[in-house]
Amino acid sequence: RHAEFIMLYNAECDSEFPRSVQELVAEIGRREKAKKEEILQSMHNGTTSHKKHIQTLKQSRGTIASQPKLSSGNAAFDAALEEGFARLIADAKERGIVPPNHGKKT
C-alpha cells in the first residue's frame, strides 16, 4: 500500500496540476476496492478454477507433440472449451469472416 502511494505521489510531482495527498489516498482506496471486486467476480464466474486446467493445457501443448488432441485432464472443462471454440468458428462463418470449409479435415 505504501509503495503504491509513493509511486503515485512521485508521478503526481511531475504533473502540471498535482493532486493533493487526500486525493491520492482516495485513489488508492478506489484501486483497492476495484481489485477486490475483480477477484470476487473472477471467483464468481469460475475464472480462478479454470486457471489450473489452462496451465495443464499449456504444459501438454509444449511437451507432447505426438498427442493428437490436447487435454487439461478435466473432461468437462475440455468439452466446454471445445464447444466455445466451435461457437466462435460458427459465428465467424455466419458473418463471412471465415470460409465455410475452414477447419474441415480433407
Side-chain angles (χ1 to χ4, degrees):
R1 187 183 248 184
H2 183 259
E4 187 175 357
F5 173 80
I6 294 298
M7 184 174 61
L8 194 57
Y9 180 81
N10 287 339
E12 287 293 321
C13 288
D14 296 336
S15 176
E16 187 176 345
F17 303 104
R19 293 182 278 181
S20 69
V21 171
Q22 291 81 11
E23 290 174 311
L24 297 177
V25 169
E27 174 66 23
I28 289 176
R30 284 190 296 274
R31 289 181 182 188
E32 287 177 350
K33 182 180 177 185
K35 284 180 188 176
K36 287 179 185 177
E37 289 174 357
E38 183 179 338
I39 289 169
L40 287 174
Q41 182 64 31
S42 70
M43 290 172 70
H44 178 68
N45 67 17
T47 305
T48 53
S49 65
H50 292 318
K51 285 182 182 179
K52 177 180 69 172
H53 303 306
I54 295 291
Q55 186 63 32
T56 305
L57 272 173
K58 287 180 182 178
Q59 290 172 349
S60 69
R61 181 183 66 197
T63 58
I64 305 171
S66 63
Q67 184 177 356
K69 188 174 182 180
L70 295 176
S71 174
S72 68
N74 182 314
F77 177 79
D78 290 345
L81 199 61
E82 277 187 43
E83 182 182 323
F85 279 115
R87 264 196 324 265
L88 286 173
I89 292 170
D91 289 345
K93 286 179 181 178
E94 285 178 16
R95 289 185 273 150
I97 297 172
V98 178
N101 62 352
H102 179 76
K104 292 185 179 177
K105 296 178 182 178
T106 55

